Amino acid sequence: MNFKHLKYFWTVAKAGGVVRAGEQLHTTPQTLSGQIKQLEQWLGHDLFRKRGRGLELTSEGRIALGYAEQIFALGDALEKSVRLSRGQARPLEFRVGIADSVAKPVAYHLLEPALGLADRVHMICHEGKFPELLAQLTLHRLDLVIADEPVSRKVGVKAFNHALGTSAMSFFCAPSLAQQLQGPFPQCLHGAPMLIQGPMSSVRQQLDHWFNKYQLQPHIVGEFDDSALMNAFGREGRGVFTSPSVLEDETVAQFGVQVVGKTSELVEEFFAISVERRITHPCVSAITRAARAELFAQ
């Protein structure tokens, strides 16, 4: 494919006609029409049809425009990523995936040390399901995955777990709901509205066993893969929810909730997962060092 022809087609489609496109490209409408005709012959379809004094895209033209948009957007991204001003130092690119089950405040505290390096860092964060992030990691599209569970050998993914730390779990709810709870913790959770993690969460499995151990039957209002959404519902008084105790004060201040109780029988673990057995990436080193020495040092 001649990408010059594709560029002409894309410009005409965006401008709405060959005359206006010609002014933008500093060429004649006749030249543009000839170049687009060659592209149409190569593709085997007309890309435009006449409509009044103007042009409109055919169905094949709309498809071609969609691909052209992606191609030229990637070209712009390539130029921005590679081209540097003379004497300008290239920032250290750090691509990290965050499992959606990890509480956002925890993710922030884990990742923040990477931005404190002496070298300039360009951090690119992606949130998603743990298995999907692992797939991106193995394809070297990510440098690191932050998760609340380790990679299992059964998964067949060649990656290494770097333990960051653990935290007990605290139970929170809005003050209006706290007034309705009866009895001491944890008995006050029996029959209380509850917001819990989704069934694939490692904390959820512990929570189910913990409820059974204390013969508690809360009223499950909702199950959430995204901890931020669960906390948002909890803030509005829709139910009691859990969050890592290491951020207890921050959770209370951020969501205006109060602590119902906490237990060390429920433990959330956090891992940095990389394809490196021995950590060499400066950002990953900063994250693991700060997590072990500060965030989870208690």
Side-chain angles (χ1 to χ4, degrees), residues 3-298:
F3 284 94
K4 184 177 181 181
H5 296 167
L6 186 65
K7 181 75 171 183
Y8 284 165
F9 157 74
W10 177 73
T11 305
V12 170
K14 301 290 284 185
V18 292
V19 174
R20 192 174 301 170
E23 294 172 351
Q24 295 178 13
L25 295 170
H26 305 290
T27 189
T28 65
Q30 293 79 8
T31 299
L32 282 178
S33 298
Q35 299 289 316
I36 292 172
K37 182 60 67 177
Q38 291 184 47
L39 178 62
E40 291 176 327
Q41 291 173 351
W42 189 85
L43 292 173
H45 290 280
D46 290 338
L47 301 178
F48 292 105
R49 67 168 66 93
K50 288 186 178 181
R51 185 176 182 85
R53 295 184 178 181
L55 296 173
E56 71 174 8
L57 290 167
T58 63
S59 58
E60 291 81 7
R62 287 193 293 272
I63 294 173
L65 179 61
Y67 281 104
E69 293 276 14
Q70 296 179 52
I71 289 169
F72 295 122
L74 285 172
D76 290 341
L78 172 63
E79 183 176 3
K80 292 177 182 177
S81 177
V82 175
R83 177 178 291 181
L84 295 172
S85 300
R86 186 180 300 274
Q88 182 181 1
R90 185 183 306 281
L92 175 63
E93 187 172 273
F94 179 45
R95 301 160 299 170
V96 57
I98 306 159
D100 54 14
S101 55
V102 175
K104 301 304 176 290
V106 174
Y108 165 74
H109 284 287
L110 288 174
L111 295 176
E112 195 274 337
L115 297 180
L117 295 176
D119 295 331
R120 197 157 56 96
V121 174
H122 179 195
M123 183 185 295
I124 304 170
C125 295
H126 299 278
E127 184 183 11
K129 301 294 183 185
F130 186 43
E132 297 170 0
L133 295 176
L134 288 180
Q136 296 298 308
L137 182 69
T138 57
L139 293 173
H140 299 280
R141 294 175 180 170
L142 295 174
D143 299 305
L144 184 72
V145 170
I146 299 291
D148 57 355
E149 61 180 298
V151 176
S152 171
R153 293 182 179 179
K154 297 179 182 179
V155 176
V157 173
K158 189 176 181 181
F160 300 95
N161 300 307
H162 307 286
L164 298 176
T166 62
S167 174
M169 298 299 290
S170 294
F171 291 74
F172 304 86
C173 72
S176 59
L177 178 57
Q179 297 176 0
Q180 303 174 31
L181 301 180
Q182 299 180 355
F185 178 82
Q187 285 74 26
C188 62
L189 300 177
H190 186 74
M194 193 83 193
L195 308 170
I196 61 176
Q197 293 82 356
M200 300 306 294
S201 168
S202 59
V203 174
R204 168 62 182 278
Q205 297 169 33
Q206 296 181 55
L207 194 59
D208 289 341
H209 290 302
W210 190 76
F211 284 149
N212 289 332
K213 176 181 178 180
Y214 289 96
Q215 299 182 335
L216 301 174
Q217 294 182 343
H219 170 53
I220 307 301
V221 175
E223 303 181 32
F224 302 84
D225 290 332
D226 188 329
S227 61
L229 184 59
M230 180 177 71
N231 294 352
F233 273 84
R235 176 184 58 199
E236 300 301 323
R238 296 300 181 179
V240 179
F241 65 97
T242 62
S243 190
S245 300
V246 69
L247 296 179
E248 191 172 274
D249 293 342
E250 187 171 328
T251 303
V252 170
Q254 180 179 359
F255 295 102
V257 294
Q258 63 187 62
V259 179
V260 177
K262 70 178 180 180
T263 175
S264 58
E265 295 180 79
L266 299 175
V267 177
E268 187 164 14
E269 300 178 277
F270 298 95
F271 296 88
I273 302 167
S274 72
V275 293
E276 299 178 314
R277 181 188 297 274
R278 180 176 176 273
I279 296 173
T280 59
H281 196 294
C283 292
V284 181
S285 296
I287 287 170
T288 54
R289 183 169 56 250
R292 295 164 182 171
E294 300 172 20
L295 184 60
F296 298 112
Q298 299 92 326

